[in-house]
Amino acid sequence: MSSSLESLVTSLVPRARQDVNLKKELVSHCQDILTSHIGQSVDNDIGYLADVVKRTLLQSTPDGATALCFTNLLSRLLDQPILSRKHASLQFLHSLSLSPRVSSVSPSFLPSLAPPPPLSRPSTATLTPIDPSPPARLPKGKSKAELLREYRNKIGQPHLPEYLILRDTLYLLQGISGKYVHFSASTDPNGNNELVFTDDPSYVISRPTKALVHRLAEVGHLYMRVDAFVREREGKVGVGMIEQSLCHHLQTRLTEYYRLIAVLESQMVSHVSGDDPPGQDDASIPEETGLTLKRLDVWIEDWKLRMRMMSVCVEGAKGAHGGALVNLIHGYADNGDPFIRKFTDQLLEEVSKPFFATLHKWLFSGELVDPFSEFFVAVDPELAHLQYGQPSQDGVGSSGGDGGFGGLGEGEDISGEREGGLKLWESKYQFQKDMLPAFVGEIFGRKIFSTGKSLNFIRYTCHDSDWVATQEKLSNSSGTLQYSDIAGLEHSIDTAYQIASQRLFEVFFEKYRLLDHLLALKHYLLLGYGDFVDQLMETLSPSLSKPANALYRHNLTATLESAIRSSNAQNDSPDVLRRLDARMLEYSHGEIGWDVFTLEYKVDSPIDTVLDPDAMVKYLKLFNHMWKIKRIESTLTKGWMRIAGGARTFLQVPELDFDWHQIRLVMAEMIHFIRQMEAYCQLEVIECSWKILLEFVQRREGDLDALMEAHGAYLERMVKKVLLLSPKAGREENLLNQVRDVFAIILQFREATDDFYNYCLSEAARRDSERDAARGVVTSIPSSASNRRDPEAVDDILTRVREYSTSFSERAQTIVQALSSHADLDCRFLAIRLSFSDFYKTRKESQKS
Amino acid sequence: MSSRESDRITAAQQTLDVLYDISQLLNTGLDKETLATCVGMIESGVNPEALAAVIQELRRESQAMSGRPTTNGR
């Protein structure tokens, strides 16, 4: 034991070989140490020890080669049978390897990885205090990297130390040019910057580093774009709210980005300051403690994606506006990558807030608050200042029903005012499909659009009470609208839509009695009230035969008044009756009253939204046709009565009986024709269409647009069928013209028969008086010249009668033929009715044969 | 050095070689001879950490002495 100690002492302290005293002293000192309590508590786990050693080795040489070597050696050692205390030997070596380094290793960044503090040793055990000056670094083999670096230094092309590039890269991330790497404005038309490495002959930047810097600089480049966008929008006026919120969101994101940069920079700063000034060997400092380019790359990776998304949004924001911008962002929301999806969702949530604010206003108040026109509902700037007119209570007769335009309308011409309701409804607000966010969907978009429009309409057309009631209902259903709650949004839209359209229906049908007006139109303009029409026809026909310029409106209105009084129409509500008016259309020279007379039904706002001027024109057209039919019918009826009655009693001219018979035949044919025509119009067309309309009204579905559409379809159907319009382009009115010709022929025929009647009457009277004279009774003394029978005159009349009857017959045949091949089924049925039991067909065949 | 090793010289030699390699790896700075002595002491029951302390102490002493070679004060 002591001999071993002695040999130790002599080998380690060469001077002790000569100096015996010193040797003794040292040996005893060493024995003191050995008998002291150092390292009493040592566990015997060699595995743990090996671990500790390995970690220590890894720390000094991170490549792990020495650790591997150590593992090898250890296993060989364990194979050796000779040592009984292998762990103790290892412990010894380990303790020895640790101790000289303790003072030389600078405090490191990662305390957890720092070597465990040296085991405490009692201060009493040491003779002299441990010299704090570190022993010279133990020589060790140079690594290949060191060799390479030395070589490079030797040939004068050392690599730029990484931390310098790192600092520049951090600048680049903020869009600032660094010392060694900088952005340069390039000739690229897109304004993209180029990354340029400063040429410095004293340093070389290796290619992998350059590539890494390039990758990192992408973030900086994107940052510059986003930042420039945000800054540009900040300074601008008239930037849309959606864009503003986008900017805000981007700014928040950028602030987060700044925070990250700041953290990274703080790490780098401490790293650099520890080793300033840079020496040639600073690359050898343990790098696991600080920031490296590669680590930076990892840190930045997330942000690279984020920046890319932001930059894409920014690019899109340049071209898109408002809802389209939201749409654009939403396009990225459907992504399988949860990162992108989350980012987009957040962005959308933020960006769509102004949109939803506008939507809320529009959906629940019917007001468009959209100062930057970003909503998918756009207001026509020319109509924006107009409101739907208030219905004027004094109504018809004053300057139209559109008094609600309040002063503005005074200067405008009457026709412009007349179009008010519909024009406002149709064109005040426009639906803009490209501005509609995709997450809403077009069906819902339409619903939103219609709801807002309806509310707007109710609000400005109806009285306050309506509005209050509607709003009360709506307020129950209105929740907060936001992007993340699409289902709730759709529910809210549905509810609001239903309430609004329901309300609108109520307003129209209960408050404004739309149904009453429609009924009135049907009764008066479509001649639904037979007694009224008969009355009117009877009282008017004498004056209507006069030239149009001899008619006076006050006469017409007076007649109308009396017709109403003397018929059932008097029971209609005064509100309906006061709207009824008789007037003349624009007439040209030579027209008679029949051509220009028309009934008119006046509607005012807001009913004129449904019964718009175009519709009224159609009604007038229908009335015109029906009125003509009615006139022909009544003419024929009267003629028939005269003939049928007169022939039996006083028209005793036996040689003309056959002619009368012929006339009666033709007339019966005509009556059949006109009656069938009339029945078809009234029963097949008008009543059927009315039924369809009524069903729609009772269903109470849809909005005002649907109502208008239903009414339009109703009217269109009637016009098409009553006027027998054919779908062939350019020949729509062929049949109508033929029918009108027939009407004209019938009238002429009637005139001719009237002449014939008169002739017969005078002839009969003449014969009567002749017979009286023969019996010796002198009833009258007519001038013989005037009463003389004139065979030429009667021939002439009869020729006319025959001519008309044949031409009627021909025309009727053509009409029936045309009708039977008509595209419309109802019209074909009319053909069957007209040619009942194939009357015209057989006649045609008999003509042929 | 140690008489106990004489009979199993080859095995001991190998063990010593391995230990020396480890020692080199760990940068202990011990030469083969000293290492053998130390291992022998450890095998005979000396506390390894205390021994490490001794080695350090001796090194320090030697250094201190070579720092002032003429004085020879002790």
Side-chain angles (χ1 to χ4, degrees):
Chain A
M1 181 72 193
S2 62
S3 65
S4 304
L5 256 184
E6 263 177 50
S7 68
L8 264 187
V9 168
T10 46
S11 68
L12 284 172
V13 188
R15 285 184 59 167
R17 286 172 199 160
Q18 287 96 42
D19 197 336
V20 182
N21 285 340
L22 179 64
K23 189 162 134 189
K24 269 186 189 163
E25 199 182 321
L26 283 173
V27 166
S28 67
H29 177 52
C30 289
Q31 259 165 350
D32 279 351
I33 294 174
L34 286 179
T35 50
S36 73
H37 297 286
I38 289 179
Q40 288 301 322
S41 59
V42 169
D43 53 346
N44 294 339
D45 185 2
I46 195 161
Y48 170 73
L49 195 60
D51 259 5
V52 172
V53 174
K54 262 188 258 177
R55 251 186 286 161
T56 322
L57 285 173
L58 271 178
Q59 208 181 342
S60 59
T61 44
D63 57 357
T66 52
L68 199 66
C69 192
F70 171 76
T71 320
N72 260 335
L73 290 171
L74 187 64
S75 64
R76 270 167 64 193
L77 178 68
L78 294 178
D79 284 344
Q80 296 294 337
I82 198 157
L83 290 183
S84 59
R85 303 186 179 200
K86 284 168 187 141
H87 75 91
S89 306
L90 204 57
Q91 174 88 49
F92 162 72
L93 290 175
H94 181 223
S95 312
L96 209 55
S97 79
L98 283 182
S99 25
R101 299 189 148 211
V102 173
S103 49
S104 77
V105 171
S106 58
S108 65
F109 258 95
L110 305 166
S112 64
L113 288 184
L119 292 159
S120 60
R121 92 186 40 135
S123 52
T124 53
T126 52
L127 270 180
T128 51
I130 291 172
D131 194 345
S133 71
R137 185 166 289 179
L138 294 168
K140 65 177 178 185
K142 280 178 180 163
S143 69
K144 295 236 165 76
E146 276 171 61
L147 287 175
L148 187 62
R149 188 160 41 242
E150 271 170 20
Y151 168 71
R152 281 184 185 135
N153 282 343
K154 209 161 70 192
I155 64 169
Q157 284 190 326
H159 275 193
L160 192 62
E162 188 172 0
Y163 70 91
L164 286 177
I165 296 183
L166 201 57
R167 194 168 54 197
D168 274 9
T169 312
L170 276 179
Y171 288 149
L172 288 181
L173 288 180
Q174 299 163 76
I176 305 165
S177 291
K179 189 175 169 192
Y180 300 98
V181 192
H182 59 89
F183 289 112
S184 81
S186 73
T187 50
D188 192 2
N190 294 337
N192 291 336
N193 287 320
E194 247 170 29
L195 200 62
V196 172
F197 292 91
T198 314
D199 265 339
D200 189 343
S202 60
Y203 279 114
V204 171
I205 301 171
S206 66
R207 287 170 75 93
T209 317
K210 275 186 184 175
L212 202 57
V213 171
H214 258 296
R215 253 169 61 188
L216 290 168
E218 183 197 341
V219 182
H221 170 65
L222 295 174
Y223 161 78
M224 271 156 75
R225 268 157 87 168
V226 174
D227 190 54
F229 173 78
V230 171
R231 260 171 232 296
E232 184 199 341
R233 293 299 138 124
E234 259 174 9
K236 246 192 192 168
V237 272
V239 177
M241 287 202 289
I242 290 180
E243 242 165 285
Q244 282 168 3
S245 74
L246 174 69
C247 280
H248 170 77
H249 187 76
L250 291 181
Q251 189 65 58
T252 325
R253 285 298 157 128
L254 287 186
T255 312
E256 277 174 43
Y257 178 67
Y258 294 147
R259 198 171 298 147
L260 175 74
I261 296 278
V263 168
L264 290 175
E265 202 157 23
S266 78
Q267 286 216 2
M268 191 198 70
V269 163
S270 61
H271 170 77
V272 169
S273 64
D275 291 276
D276 249 0
Q280 284 303 310
D281 60 339
D282 52 8
S284 66
I285 45 160
E287 283 173 345
E288 68 265 32
T289 53
L291 192 63
T292 63
L293 276 178
K294 293 185 184 72
R295 278 176 203 197
L296 190 62
D297 191 31
V298 173
W299 278 106
I300 287 297
E301 194 59 37
D302 259 11
W303 274 99
K304 199 188 276 175
L305 261 177
R306 245 172 244 161
M307 278 289 181
R308 276 183 193 157
M309 295 293 304
M310 280 153 83
S311 150
V312 164
C313 292
V314 166
E315 285 297 305
K318 278 177 191 160
H321 179 63
L325 181 59
V326 176
N327 231 343
L328 181 95
I329 299 171
H330 183 255
Y332 297 100
D334 291 330
N335 200 311
D337 186 343
F339 178 82
I340 295 179
R341 203 166 52 223
K342 201 171 148 235
F343 177 83
T344 321
D345 277 356
Q346 278 176 355
L347 187 61
L348 264 184
E349 180 76 29
E350 201 71 34
V351 166
S352 58
K353 261 178 195 158
F355 169 80
F356 279 109
T358 312
L359 180 63
H360 193 274
K361 269 266 182 226
W362 173 251
L363 199 56
F364 297 117
S365 320
E367 268 188 307
L368 190 63
V369 184
D370 187 16
F372 302 106
S373 54
E374 294 170 301
F375 204 51
F376 62 85
V377 177
V379 66
D380 188 333
E382 282 177 22
L383 299 169
H385 63 286
L386 298 178
Q387 303 291 6
Y388 295 107
Q390 288 283 345
S392 56
Q393 292 303 312
D394 51 354
V396 187
S398 69
S399 65
D402 303 298
F405 279 106
L408 285 168
E410 296 298 315
E412 295 168 13
D413 60 329
I414 300 293
S415 64
E417 256 185 83
R418 284 236 136 261
E419 290 172 346
L422 182 77
K423 198 177 167 197
L424 269 183
W425 169 259
E426 280 190 339
S427 43
K428 184 174 177 185
Y429 294 110
Q430 294 291 338
F431 187 79
Q432 287 182 309
K433 203 177 159 213
D434 53 338
M435 296 291 258
L436 178 72
F439 55 80
V440 177
E442 201 188 337
I443 298 168
F444 276 104
R446 292 273 171 205
K447 274 189 180 173
I448 296 169
F449 177 59
S450 153
T451 309
K453 230 164 72 160
S454 305
L455 285 177
N456 196 286
F457 189 81
I458 292 172
R459 183 167 190 173
Y460 292 112
T461 311
C462 312
H463 295 294
D464 283 343
S465 60
D466 288 308
W467 172 240
V468 169
T470 313
Q471 206 176 27
E472 203 171 307
K473 274 190 193 171
L474 277 175
S475 64
N476 297 333
S477 66
S478 70
T480 46
L481 303 175
Q482 55 186 2
Y483 169 71
S484 49
D485 186 20
I486 292 289
L489 171 72
E490 286 177 356
H491 179 73
S492 301
I493 291 171
D494 269 340
T495 330
Y497 175 73
Q498 265 173 9
I499 292 174
S501 46
Q502 195 75 28
R503 185 72 210 146
L504 200 63
F505 261 70
E506 276 170 32
V507 165
F508 264 102
F509 285 108
E510 279 159 33
K511 188 176 166 86
Y512 293 109
R513 314 217 144 273
L514 181 62
L515 209 55
D516 289 359
H517 292 302
L518 289 176
L519 258 179
L521 278 170
K522 180 167 163 281
H523 288 156
Y524 295 106
L525 290 194
L526 304 181
L527 313 185
Y529 276 167
D531 55 344
F532 163 77
V533 177
D534 280 347
Q535 281 289 338
L536 192 66
M537 186 73 76
E538 204 164 302
T539 42
L540 268 181
S541 41
S543 52
L544 284 185
S545 307
K546 289 181 205 161
N549 53 10
L551 287 174
Y552 295 103
R553 190 171 162 180
H554 56 265
N555 287 342
L556 293 181
T557 46
T559 325
L560 178 68
E561 198 70 14
S562 64
I564 290 171
R565 291 262 174 73
S566 55
S567 71
N568 253 336
Q570 59 183 311
N571 298 327
D572 261 352
S573 79
D575 179 51
V576 165
L577 291 180
R578 74 184 169 84
R579 291 166 190 271
L580 203 56
D581 192 20
R583 68 180 178 97
M584 290 167 290
L585 300 171
E586 301 274 315
Y587 54 82
S588 54
H589 183 72
E591 283 182 315
I592 58 165
W594 288 108
D595 296 324
V596 293
F597 170 77
T598 186
L599 274 184
E600 200 179 30
Y601 193 80
K602 285 182 176 160
V603 286
D604 49 20
S605 173
I607 292 294
D608 66 347
T609 312
V610 177
L611 300 172
D612 57 288
D614 275 353
M616 294 320 280
V617 167
K618 282 178 185 162
Y619 272 116
L620 289 189
K621 224 169 158 183
L622 281 175
F623 170 78
N624 194 268
H625 190 69
M626 303 287 291
W627 182 248
K628 263 185 193 148
I629 294 178
K630 195 76 191 168
R631 178 193 170 199
I632 304 294
E633 197 232 330
S634 73
T635 317
L636 280 175
T637 315
K638 274 185 207 147
W640 180 260
M641 271 164 68
R642 265 171 100 180
I643 294 167
R648 293 226 178 86
T649 51
F650 47 84
L651 290 180
Q652 301 293 348
V653 185
E655 66 269 29
L656 293 176
D657 274 354
F658 177 72
D659 293 315
W660 275 121
H661 181 66
Q662 288 293 324
I663 287 172
R664 280 197 293 272
L665 279 180
V666 173
M667 208 170 229
E669 197 183 328
M670 286 173 177
I671 290 173
H672 173 77
F673 180 85
I674 209 77
R675 286 255 165 93
Q676 290 309 320
M677 192 65 104
E678 207 178 11
Y680 159 79
C681 291
Q682 286 292 345
L683 303 177
E684 303 275 321
V685 180
I686 295 177
E687 287 302 330
C688 288
S689 309
W690 176 250
K691 188 164 167 274
I692 293 172
L693 180 68
L694 215 57
E695 274 169 7
F696 169 81
V697 169
Q698 275 157 2
R699 254 204 328 270
R700 301 213 161 190
E701 272 172 13
D703 54 357
L704 189 54
D705 275 325
L707 177 64
M708 283 162 66
E709 204 175 296
H711 178 255
Y714 159 74
L715 202 56
E716 193 59 40
R717 186 184 148 105
M718 289 196 299
V719 167
K720 227 171 84 187
K721 296 195 176 189
V722 166
L723 300 185
L724 303 172
L725 298 181
S726 98
K728 283 176 199 154
R731 295 170 57 189
E732 287 98 345
E733 298 207 330
N734 272 7
L735 255 168
L736 181 65
N737 289 335
Q738 283 177 7
V739 170
R740 281 184 182 148
D741 281 353
V742 166
F743 290 168
I745 290 168
I746 291 175
L747 285 177
Q748 282 168 328
F749 176 79
R750 167 76 209 277
E751 258 172 51
T753 45
D754 273 359
D755 285 350
F756 189 53
Y757 177 86
N758 287 337
Y759 171 79
C760 285
L761 198 61
S762 56
E763 182 66 21
R766 196 178 60 83
R767 289 188 189 183
D768 269 356
S769 58
E770 267 180 14
R771 259 176 273 153
D772 287 347
R775 284 203 306 262
V777 183
V778 180
T779 47
S780 62
I781 313 186
S783 64
S784 56
S786 63
N787 284 340
R788 188 164 300 146
R789 186 178 169 188
D790 187 355
E792 277 178 33
V794 74
D795 280 348
D796 186 38
I797 292 169
L798 280 175
T799 322
R800 267 167 61 209
V801 167
R802 269 183 224 114
E803 194 184 308
Y804 291 138
S805 58
T806 40
S807 74
F808 166 79
S809 203
E810 273 166 18
R811 299 268 167 157
Q813 208 168 321
T814 344
I815 288 172
V816 165
Q817 226 172 347
L819 279 177
S820 58
S821 62
H822 200 274
D824 198 297
L825 198 63
D826 285 326
C827 293
R828 267 182 270 166
F829 277 128
L830 175 62
I832 291 170
R833 280 158 159 267
L834 287 178
S835 165
F836 196 71
S837 68
D838 283 347
F839 175 75
Y840 288 103
K841 202 175 166 193
T842 43
R843 181 195 275 195
K844 191 181 166 193
E845 274 160 10
S846 66
Q847 272 177 355
K848 267 186 190 166
S849 58
Chain B
M1 320 291 144
S2 170
S3 56
R4 294 174 61 187
E5 289 182 326
S6 54
D7 46 348
R8 290 171 290 177
I9 274 183
T10 43
Q13 196 61 47
Q14 277 179 10
T15 314
L16 193 62
D17 281 348
V18 171
L19 278 175
Y20 180 69
D21 282 352
I22 295 177
S23 153
Q24 287 290 80
L25 208 59
L26 289 176
N27 255 334
T28 54
L30 294 172
D31 57 359
K32 224 167 182 172
E33 205 174 325
T34 322
L35 182 66
T37 317
C38 292
V39 169
M41 285 172 76
I42 289 166
E43 284 298 299
S44 58
V46 174
N47 185 324
E49 288 185 44
L51 190 59
V54 167
I55 300 286
Q56 276 182 316
E57 186 64 26
L58 287 176
R59 274 185 186 156
R60 201 176 53 79
E61 207 67 30
S62 153
Q63 211 168 19
M65 263 177 246
S66 63
R68 43 189 165 95
T70 48
T71 49
N72 195 12
R74 302 255 160 147

